[in-house]
Amino acid sequence: MSSTTIHSLISGDGTICLVVDGRHHTIAATNPSYREIRRLVTTRPLDEAKLLSLIDIPQAISHVMQGKVRVDLDAGKVWYNDTEFHDEAFVARILRLMSEGQDVQYLLNFLNNLGQNPEFRAIMETFKFICNEGMPITPDGCFLGYKGVREDYYDEWSGTIENRPDGRRVNEPREKVCNDPSQGCASGLHVGSYNYARNWGHTVVLVKVNPKDVVSVPNHECEKMRVCGYWVIKEFGPGTKNGCVDAQPVLQGEVYDSTGQRVPGSIFTELGQFDNDVNSHWDEEEGRTYSESLIDDDDDYYDDEYGDDDDEYDDDDWDDD
C-alpha cells in the first residue's frame, strides 16, 4: 500500500491542481511535463513514482538527461558529470529543449564536445554566447551562428578568407586566435549573432561551430566570439551593406541539422509528450516564467565602436571579422 496521498483536479482552463501529502502543486500547460502529468492523473492505476518525478522539475531534468545533468533552478547552476557550471540561461535552455520534445542526446553531444575545449574560461564564455537568440544546437553537438561577409563571400576585414556557403571548413591555428576576452576587436575567425553579423557585411551566412573550437568571447559584448574553425552552411540573408534595413527572423527552435534545416521535436519522449509551441515554463510560486527570469533578453546590442575606425589598426594584426 502506498504511503503517499495524492489528489488531483483539472480546472476548466486545463490547469492541473495536485495535492501530494498535503502539499499543493499547480501544473500549468507551459510546464515541460504537462502532457505526461495529465495523462498520468487520468490513468489508473496511478504511477505515483513517475508522477512525483515529473512534478519536481530538477528531478525531471535529471531523469530525461540520463542522470548526467543536474540543475539548481534557484541558484542557476548546472552540473554535468559532476562538473559545476554557473549559468542561469543554460538552465532555461535545457527547459526549452524539453518543451520541444527534443532528443536529449543532442544536448549531451554538445556538452561532450564542449568538454574537449582546452580552456575552462572558453567553456564558460560559450554558454554566454549560445544563449543569444537564434543560436540552436545540431544533433552532432555543435551550434549554429552567423557571419557577415562581402558580396563575393570573402571576409570583410582582410578579404582573404573565402566563406562560400558550400559546407566548406574554414580553419585558423588556435594559437593565432586572440584568447583575451578583454579585447573587443582582435585577431581570429569571428562568429556572431544575427544582429551582429548583419551589421558587418553585404551578406550573412550561417556557420556551424564545434564548441571545442571556441577561443574567446569579448567581455563587453556577448554577440560575437572568436573561434579557430567553422563550417559555412548556407547563405542566410542580406546584410546592412547590401541595403538591408529590416532584419529577418532568426532561426526558431532549439535544434537544426548540419544543413540549417530545423529538426522537429518528437511528439513523445521518454519523459512524455510536450507541446512544441511552449517556450516558457511557469513558476507559480514566483509568478514568472523561467525563460523570463533566467534569460537576459538585452541581446539586441551592437557595438560599432570599432566599425568606423578601421584605419587605426594594422591589417597584419587581423585575420578576419
Side-chain angles (χ1 to χ4, degrees):
M1 180 178 296
S2 172
S3 60
T4 302
T5 301
I6 300 176
H7 300 284
S8 64
L9 173 68
I10 302 177
S11 66
D13 65 359
T15 300
I16 302 170
C17 300
L18 292 174
V19 181
V20 181
D21 286 341
R23 184 177 178 182
H24 293 259
H25 301 270
T26 302
I27 313 298
T30 50
N31 186 294
S33 304
Y34 174 81
R35 291 200 176 189
E36 181 65 356
I37 290 175
R38 180 163 181 156
R39 185 188 68 80
L40 287 171
V41 299
T42 57
T43 301
R44 293 295 181 271
L46 176 64
D47 187 339
E48 295 181 359
K50 187 169 186 180
L51 177 62
L52 294 174
S53 71
L54 293 174
I55 293 173
D56 185 334
I57 290 181
Q59 187 175 343
I61 290 174
S62 178
H63 176 71
V64 80
M65 297 299 288
Q66 303 171 17
K68 295 182 178 180
V69 174
R70 295 183 293 114
V71 302
D72 182 331
L73 294 176
D74 294 328
K77 292 183 178 180
V78 182
W79 289 266
Y80 174 64
N81 285 342
D82 295 325
T83 299
E84 179 183 326
F85 305 100
H86 189 96
D87 195 279
E88 295 178 339
F90 195 68
V91 175
R93 185 163 194 142
I94 293 174
L95 292 171
R96 293 200 307 272
L97 193 78
M98 290 172 63
S99 289
E100 285 200 358
Q102 292 290 359
D103 184 341
V104 298
Q105 190 61 48
Y106 300 163
L107 189 55
L108 293 175
N109 291 343
F110 172 83
L111 292 170
N112 283 328
N113 286 338
L114 187 61
Q116 297 176 44
N117 194 302
E119 298 185 64
F120 184 75
R121 173 193 46 75
I123 290 175
M124 299 307 296
E125 292 172 358
T126 301
F127 281 124
K128 178 175 67 174
F129 177 80
I130 68 162
C131 288
N132 282 306
E133 186 180 11
M135 299 290 183
I137 62 173
T138 58
D140 58 355
C142 297
F143 64 91
L144 300 182
Y146 307 84
K147 187 171 186 65
V149 297
R150 301 192 322 193
E151 187 174 7
D152 59 3
Y153 298 112
Y154 280 85
D155 69 285
E156 283 284 352
W157 185 261
S158 71
T160 62
I161 301 174
E162 187 175 8
N163 293 275
R164 192 168 298 279
D166 54 9
R168 69 182 56 209
R169 171 76 176 177
V170 178
N171 291 296
E172 180 82 2
R174 190 178 185 101
E175 61 272 16
K176 290 188 176 183
V177 180
C178 177
N179 66 355
D180 183 359
S182 68
Q183 299 296 314
C185 249
S187 60
L189 300 173
H190 288 69
V191 175
S193 68
Y194 174 65
N195 285 330
Y196 182 86
R198 67 184 293 266
N199 283 285
W200 264 102
H202 178 279
T203 300
V204 176
V205 293
L206 191 68
V207 299
K208 185 177 90 166
V209 181
N210 190 315
K212 70 180 182 181
D213 292 329
V214 175
V215 179
S216 61
V217 177
N219 289 334
H220 75 286
E221 58 181 326
C222 63
E223 287 206 272
K224 75 172 181 180
M225 60 168 33
R226 292 183 282 264
V227 304
C228 60
Y230 55 76
W231 292 269
V232 189
I233 303 303
K234 67 178 182 180
E235 185 172 327
F236 189 76
T240 56
K241 293 186 178 181
N242 190 21
C244 178
V245 177
D246 298 322
Q248 68 182 77
V250 296
L251 298 179
Q252 301 296 319
E254 290 299 310
V255 181
Y256 281 71
D257 65 21
S258 294
T259 67
Q261 297 298 310
R262 183 172 180 178
V263 177
S266 63
I267 62 171
F268 189 82
T269 68
E270 179 187 0
L271 194 60
Q273 288 188 321
F274 303 110
D275 183 346
N276 290 343
D277 294 329
V278 174
N279 290 313
S280 61
H281 315 283
W282 186 252
D283 178 349
E284 294 292 343
E285 181 178 352
E286 296 297 329
R288 63 177 187 265
T289 62
Y290 286 124
S291 60
E292 290 171 347
S293 64
L294 296 178
I295 298 177
D296 179 4
D297 289 324
D298 188 19
D299 288 330
D300 296 329
Y301 169 75
Y302 173 66
D303 181 3
D304 60 359
E305 177 183 356
Y306 304 96
D308 298 326
D309 299 310
D310 292 346
D311 292 338
E312 71 177 276
Y313 299 102
D314 183 350
D315 287 350
D316 294 334
D317 293 335
W318 293 80
D319 294 310
D320 170 53
D321 215 334

